Amino acid sequence: MSFPLIIAEKPDQGAKLAAPFPHKKKKGYIEISSNQTFPQGAYLTWAVGHLCELIPPEEYDPKWKKWSLDTLPILPESFHYKVKRDKWNQFKIIKDLLNQPLVDEVIMAGDAEREGEAIIRIILKQAKNRKPMKRLWISSLTEKAVIHGFQNLLNEDETRSIYFEAMSRACADWLIGMNASRVYTLLLQQKGINDVFSTGRVQTPTLALIVEREKEIEQFKSEPFWEVKATFQMDQKKYEGIWHLDQETRISTQEKADDIADFCKGKKARVMDIQKERKEFHPPYLYNLSALQAMANKLFKFPPKKTLDIAQKLYVRGIISYPRSDSSFVTKEEAEMFPEILKQIGEMNAYKEYFPLPYQSIIDNKRYVNPKKVTDHYAIIPTEQVVDPSRLEKDEQRIYDLIIKRLIAAHYEKSIFDYTTIHTIVEERATFLSKGKQMIQEGWRKVLHQTDDKKDEDQLLPDLLKDETGIVKQSKVKEGKTQPPKRYTEGQLITLMKTAGKFTSDAELQSILKKTEGLGTEATRAGIITVLKDRKYIEVTKNLVYATKKGILLIDSIGKSILASPEMTAKWEKRLQEIGEGQASPAIFMEQAKKLSMKLIDDAKSAEGQWTFSEDLLEEISHFTSKKQGRKHAKAKLGACKKCDGSIVEKGNFYGCTNYQKTKCDFTISKKILGKTISQKNISKLLKEGKTELIKGFKKEERNFDAYLEWDQERQKIQFLFPTK
C-alpha cells in the first residue's frame, strides 16, 4: 500500500479532487485521511498554473541580453526551465512534500491534456523527483468521476509522449518567437519605428488573415446596382418576386431597371414553373470549445476568452465536463448517463416545456456517440451534478444553458422544411423569381429556436398551380450598392483559425490543416486573440475585429515569408501530433525548428531592402509608441494658434492650444478626420500657410475623396478645399 503525493494544476481543482475523501486543509496543501481509495491516506497539493518558465536568452549566454542583429540567431543547445519568482513559495511546498519519507508515489493530476501534463512534469523535474509516477486522467470533476479516476490510474509511460509534444511545442515556439521578434523589431528600428514587434508561429498567420480582410475592405470600390421587384395578384392570392435574367437579379443602370418596371406594370403574369424541395436538418452536434465560443460570441458578444473562463468555472464547480475539448462526440459510457442527467433537467421550470423527449436515449446514434472521434476528451456536456441555472451568475447561466439545450436538442427529431421556388413570367418576356419555405416538422428547433436559427427572410408563399395567371399589381425599382467583405467578429475569428486550411491552395497542406484543426488548438485560440489585442495588432469595436496600423505594418514587412503563412503551422502541427502519438522524434523536430529560425532571419534581412512606409504611417506608429511607453518630453510647437497668441501642440487624439488652461482657447483639430490621420507636418503647413498638402483618401459613407484642409478665418473653423479639375 502506498502513500501518494497528488499534484493538481490549480488550487480550486485540488479542492475538487479532495472533496470525495475525508481531509484537512493545510497551508498550500491538503491532507487526505485513510479511506477506501487511499488506505494509508495521501497528500494533495497544486501548482498555480505555470509554476515554471523557460529561462530567458541571457541566462544561456550573456551576449543574448542585448538586442542586436549581430547576435542572431539565438539557438540554445538545450532548453531549461526555472521556477517563477512569484511562485517560489508554492514550489517549495511541493518539493518539501515530495521529499517526505512517507511519500512513495506521485500522482500527476493536472488537466487531462498536453499542457496539464507538461505543467506537472516540469515541476517534478525541477524538484529532481525520483519517485514512481502515475497519471489521473478524468474529464469531469464530479465526485463519481474523481473516485473512478483515482481507482483507475494510468501508468506514467502512457502519457509521456504528450509531455514530449508539449515541450517540443513550447521550445520551438520560443525559438521562433525570440528570433523572428528580434529581427523584425531591430530592422524596423532602422526605419525609425521604435517599438517591439512580437511574432509567433500561430499569432502571425492569424494576424495575416485579419490584415488581408482589412485590405480587401480598404480596396473595395462600391458599385451601384438596381433591382426590380413585383407584386403579383393571382385571383385572391398575392406574392412578391424579383426580376432576373439567368439567375442574375442585379441591373447595372437605373434606366434599364425603370424600363423593366414600367413594362411590367399592370401586365399579364403567368406561373411558369413551381419547384419544391424538402430538406431535413439534423440537430446540431454537441459543443466542443470552438463551437461554444462562436455561439456565445454570436448571441452575447462574449470574447472567446470570456467564454473559456466561464466554462472553466462551471467545470471546476463540477457541473460541466472538461471545457478545452476539441471533440463533439461522446462514448457509450457518457451516453448511458444522459437519461439520468436529463431527468434532473426536465424537473426544472426553465426546461419543462421540452419534456417528455422524443428520444429517451441516443446511445446508438453515431451522430453523437462515436468513440473513434473522441480524442483526449469528449464533447462539453452537463454532468450528473445538475444545478438550476437560476442559481448561477447571469453569464454563467447563459453558457450553462447553451450546453444543456444542445444536449436536449440531440434527443429531438429532425427539423423538416419544404422550400418552394416559383418562376413567374410577365407578358412571356420578363422572368421573376419568388422563394419561400414552409415548416413541416419543427423538431429540435423547438429547443434551439432562439439560439441557432438565422433570421428567416423567406416569404410564406400561397398555394399556386403551374400556368395559373394573374396580373402585376405593382412593380418598383430598388437601388442598392455592392458591399465590401464584412469584418470578422471574434467568434468568426475562432472559426477562421480552425478552418485556416481553406486559405492555402496546396492540397497536402490543406489536408494537414484540416486534420490538425487549423491554426492553434482549442485551448490556445482564445489566448492568441488576446495576445493580438495586447500587442495592439488588432482592435475589437462592437465585436468587430480591426487590424491596426501596427498590425498592418508588421504583416507588410513579413510579406511572403513562411512566418505569415499557415504552411509552417500545418507542417509543425502534423509533426507535433506524431510526437504526441509516439511516432516522431522530438530531437529531430527541434533541429528542424532551429534551421527554420535561421531561415526566418535570412528572409527578414532579404526583404528589408524593399520596405517602403509612408511618412504618415511612420509618424502615427511613432506617436503611439511614445504614448505607450509613457515618454515625457517637451511637446513640439507646430505653429502659432489661429485664435490667440498661444502655440499649437499635439494633445493625444487632437492638436490644441497651449493657452487652454489660461484662457480656455478652444482651437482644436482632430488627429483623425474621416478615416485619415492628419500628420504634424500638415498641421504645421496649415498654421503657416493656411492650408495643408492635398490629402488623399478621406471616406464619407460609401464615398472616397481627396481634399486640402484649410483655415476659414471668417468662420474661425477648419474646412475642406477641393482641388480644381
Side-chain angles (χ1 to χ4, degrees):
M1 289 192 187
S2 66
F3 188 97
L5 169 64
I6 305 160
I7 308 177
E9 193 171 320
K10 293 176 279 288
D12 50 6
Q13 182 192 41
K16 276 286 178 182
L17 294 176
F21 314 111
H23 63 270
K24 292 178 185 174
K25 290 183 181 177
K26 306 282 186 175
K27 188 175 180 182
Y29 70 101
I30 292 170
E31 195 175 294
I32 296 175
S33 305
S34 172
N35 60 79
Q36 190 175 350
T37 304
F38 302 109
Q40 302 297 312
Y43 290 138
L44 190 152
T45 186
W46 45 80
V48 190
H50 289 269
L51 221 61
C52 304
E53 62 187 352
L54 282 162
I55 65 173
E58 61 269 21
E59 292 188 30
Y60 293 106
D61 189 329
K63 74 179 182 188
W64 285 334
K65 183 167 187 178
K66 184 184 177 186
W67 285 43
S68 167
L69 292 171
D70 297 334
T71 58
L72 295 178
I74 296 169
L75 302 173
E77 285 186 24
S78 59
F79 289 86
H80 303 288
Y81 278 81
K82 67 177 182 180
V83 178
K84 292 181 179 179
R85 190 177 296 174
D86 61 337
K87 306 280 178 74
W88 182 261
N89 288 342
Q90 188 59 27
F91 174 75
K92 190 172 183 306
I93 290 169
I94 296 172
K95 191 173 181 180
D96 288 345
L97 289 169
L98 190 61
N99 291 330
Q100 291 272 350
L102 187 63
V103 171
D104 55 4
E105 181 181 71
V106 178
I107 298 174
M108 299 180 289
D111 282 347
E113 39 92 41
R114 288 180 297 255
E115 206 62 33
E117 189 79 17
I119 285 171
I120 308 303
R121 283 189 186 258
I122 291 166
I123 291 169
L124 290 169
K125 191 174 179 182
Q126 289 300 116
K128 296 183 170 54
N129 172 56
R130 297 190 183 284
K131 294 179 179 177
M133 299 183 291
K134 291 277 181 72
R135 181 61 156 111
L136 175 71
W137 194 274
I138 55 176
S139 286
S140 81
L141 289 173
T142 64
E143 291 199 1
K144 183 179 174 183
V146 169
I147 293 169
H148 182 267
F150 277 123
Q151 290 174 349
N152 294 273
L153 294 168
L154 303 179
N155 291 323
E156 170 272 333
D157 59 359
E158 291 181 70
T159 59
R160 194 186 300 159
S161 60
I162 65 166
Y163 162 66
F164 292 143
E165 179 187 351
M167 288 293 293
S168 300
R169 184 186 298 274
C171 296
D173 284 349
W174 187 95
L175 273 178
I176 298 303
M178 286 295 172
N179 285 291
S181 298
R182 287 196 182 196
V183 74
Y184 282 101
T185 296
L186 291 164
L187 290 173
L188 286 165
Q189 278 179 3
Q190 293 178 2
K191 299 289 183 184
I193 302 168
N194 293 311
D195 201 349
V196 175
F197 286 83
S198 159
T199 62
R201 179 179 62 88
V202 179
Q203 66 164 327
T204 304
T206 303
L207 176 61
L209 293 173
I210 299 166
V211 168
E212 184 182 352
R213 176 53 57 92
E214 195 73 36
K215 290 188 173 181
E216 287 171 0
I217 294 168
E218 192 177 301
Q219 293 162 9
F220 183 83
K221 294 201 183 313
S222 183
E223 301 284 347
F225 65 87
W226 291 264
E227 292 177 328
V228 176
K229 296 195 172 181
T231 303
F232 301 103
Q233 185 80 48
M234 304 284 180
D235 195 13
Q236 299 300 311
K237 295 171 281 193
K238 191 187 284 188
Y239 66 100
E240 290 185 347
I242 186 168
W243 177 89
H244 76 99
L245 183 62
D246 299 328
Q247 303 295 315
E248 178 54 64
T249 64
R250 293 178 176 181
I251 302 164
S252 57
T253 67
Q254 184 171 1
E255 184 182 10
K256 184 180 177 183
D258 287 340
D259 287 347
I260 294 169
D262 290 343
F263 167 78
C264 292
K265 278 176 187 169
K267 296 287 176 43
K268 182 181 175 183
R270 175 175 68 87
V271 176
M272 191 167 60
D273 191 25
I274 300 171
Q275 297 163 348
K276 285 195 176 183
E277 183 184 8
R278 178 160 289 188
K279 288 187 181 179
E280 298 181 346
F281 299 91
H282 290 283
Y285 290 108
L286 300 172
Y287 280 119
N288 59 24
L289 179 58
S290 291
L292 182 63
Q293 287 170 319
M295 184 58 72
N297 181 262
K298 177 183 173 184
L299 295 177
F300 317 126
K301 306 292 185 284
F302 286 179
K305 186 176 184 304
K306 179 174 180 176
T307 299
L308 176 55
D309 290 345
I310 294 169
Q312 182 68 24
K313 284 183 185 176
L314 298 176
Y315 166 66
V316 170
R317 279 176 181 256
I319 62 176
I320 68 166
S321 60
Y322 186 68
R324 290 178 171 85
S325 175
D326 60 357
S327 177
S328 300
F329 302 88
V330 296
T331 67
K332 288 202 170 188
E333 190 179 4
E334 285 78 51
E336 283 169 356
M337 295 163 58
F338 288 166
E340 176 55 35
I341 293 169
L342 289 163
K343 183 184 174 188
Q344 294 180 63
I345 290 170
E347 290 168 0
M348 296 177 183
N349 290 332
Y351 305 109
K352 275 184 178 175
E353 64 179 299
Y354 308 125
F355 288 80
L357 298 171
Y359 299 119
Q360 295 306 306
S361 172
I362 55 170
I363 199 160
D364 296 319
N365 186 337
K366 287 189 177 179
R367 183 173 177 81
Y368 306 103
V369 185
N370 191 337
K372 291 178 183 176
K373 293 190 177 182
V374 175
T375 50
D376 292 346
H377 296 280
Y378 46 80
I380 305 172
I381 55 173
T383 68
E384 68 272 20
Q385 286 183 200
V386 178
V387 303
D388 191 327
S390 63
R391 289 169 48 196
L392 302 173
E393 293 176 11
K394 186 178 179 184
D395 289 344
E396 291 179 354
Q397 185 178 329
R398 285 168 156 177
I399 298 299
Y400 190 48
D401 179 69
L402 286 179
I403 296 165
I404 284 176
K405 282 185 175 174
R406 271 289 169 103
L407 181 61
I408 295 173
H411 290 73
Y412 263 72
E413 311 103 323
K414 291 177 279 195
S415 178
I416 303 172
F417 286 86
D418 277 350
Y419 288 82
T420 305
T421 303
I422 296 174
H423 297 268
T424 308
I425 191 163
V426 177
E427 289 292 325
E428 301 301 317
R429 283 178 62 186
T431 51
F432 286 77
L433 205 61
S434 307
K435 290 189 175 185
K437 74 175 180 180
Q438 182 181 4
M439 185 165 68
I440 304 303
Q441 178 173 290
E442 186 179 26
W444 58 268
R445 288 178 187 270
K446 177 181 179 180
V447 184
L448 298 179
H449 60 94
Q450 292 179 322
T451 58
D452 291 50
D453 274 1
K454 293 177 181 175
K455 285 185 180 175
D456 186 1
E457 293 174 356
D458 289 325
Q459 61 179 311
L460 192 62
L461 293 170
D463 286 328
L464 293 161
L465 298 171
K466 188 180 176 185
D467 292 326
E468 194 168 345
T469 59
I471 61 162
V472 178
K473 191 82 174 167
Q474 183 185 21
S475 62
K476 58 185 178 182
V477 174
K478 183 184 176 185
E479 184 178 356
K481 287 184 178 179
T482 56
Q483 297 298 312
K486 291 183 178 178
R487 285 190 165 81
Y488 302 117
T489 65
E490 285 194 80
Q492 288 167 341
L493 196 51
I494 286 282
T495 306
L496 179 72
M497 292 173 76
K498 192 164 183 172
T499 60
K502 69 182 182 184
F503 291 93
T504 174
S505 56
D506 187 312
E508 183 193 356
L509 293 174
Q510 219 168 44
S511 170
I512 294 168
L513 270 162
K514 189 175 180 184
K515 186 182 175 187
T516 57
E517 296 286 329
L519 298 170
T521 65
E522 296 291 320
T524 61
R525 289 186 191 114
I528 292 295
I529 295 173
T530 301
V531 165
L532 292 175
K533 289 184 201 172
D534 291 345
R535 304 286 186 214
K536 307 299 181 189
Y537 291 144
I538 64 171
E539 291 173 347
V540 179
T541 306
K542 294 184 178 176
N543 201 34
L544 296 177
V545 180
Y546 294 76
T548 65
K549 293 282 193 256
K550 182 179 177 183
I552 293 168
L553 176 75
L554 177 61
I555 296 303
D556 284 351
S557 303
I558 290 169
K560 294 185 177 178
S561 167
I562 194 171
L563 181 61
S565 160
E567 180 181 345
M568 178 173 69
T569 284
K571 289 180 174 175
W572 276 32
E573 288 298 342
K574 183 183 180 188
R575 189 65 67 232
L576 286 164
Q577 203 170 65
E578 289 168 356
I579 291 170
E581 292 164 358
Q583 297 170 1
S585 161
I588 293 172
F589 175 76
M590 289 310 303
E591 283 306 309
Q592 292 170 339
K594 288 178 180 179
K595 287 177 184 175
L596 181 60
S597 298
M598 291 189 278
K599 180 180 178 351
L600 293 176
I601 290 168
D602 291 339
D603 285 351
K605 288 178 176 177
S606 300
E608 186 255 346
Q610 280 77 52
W611 291 351
T612 53
F613 307 120
S614 71
E615 187 179 317
D616 284 0
L617 178 63
L618 293 176
E619 186 178 312
E620 185 169 341
I621 291 177
S622 174
H623 162 75
F624 169 77
T625 306
S626 60
K627 182 180 173 185
K628 183 181 75 171
Q629 294 173 352
R631 295 177 189 159
K632 293 187 178 178
H633 48 73
K635 292 180 178 174
K637 294 179 180 178
L638 305 176
C641 179
K642 292 287 187 180
K643 290 189 173 183
C644 72
D645 61 354
S647 298
I648 301 305
V649 295
E650 188 180 323
K651 293 187 172 187
N653 295 326
F654 66 94
Y655 301 103
C657 182
T658 53
N659 279 347
Y660 174 74
Q661 295 292 344
K662 282 193 254 173
T663 66
K664 299 296 178 191
C665 175
D666 63 354
F667 181 93
T668 59
I669 301 174
S670 177
K671 201 166 198 193
K672 208 160 207 174
I673 299 175
L674 296 184
K676 289 298 294 180
T677 299
I678 313 304
S679 67
Q680 290 188 5
K681 182 181 173 184
N682 265 322
I683 294 296
S684 295
K685 191 172 177 68
L686 173 75
L687 296 169
K688 188 176 179 182
E689 301 174 17
K691 74 173 185 180
T692 64
E693 294 174 347
L694 182 66
I695 300 171
K696 295 186 175 183
F698 288 111
K699 278 188 181 180
K700 187 170 185 183
E701 295 171 350
E702 299 294 330
R703 190 166 68 95
N704 286 18
F705 63 91
D706 305 336
Y708 303 92
L709 293 178
E710 73 164 358
W711 175 253
D712 184 333
Q713 187 63 36
E714 187 178 326
R715 295 164 65 200
Q716 292 277 289
K717 63 183 285 188
I718 295 289
Q719 63 183 18
F720 290 112
L721 176 65
F722 296 97
T724 52
K725 290 185 180 179

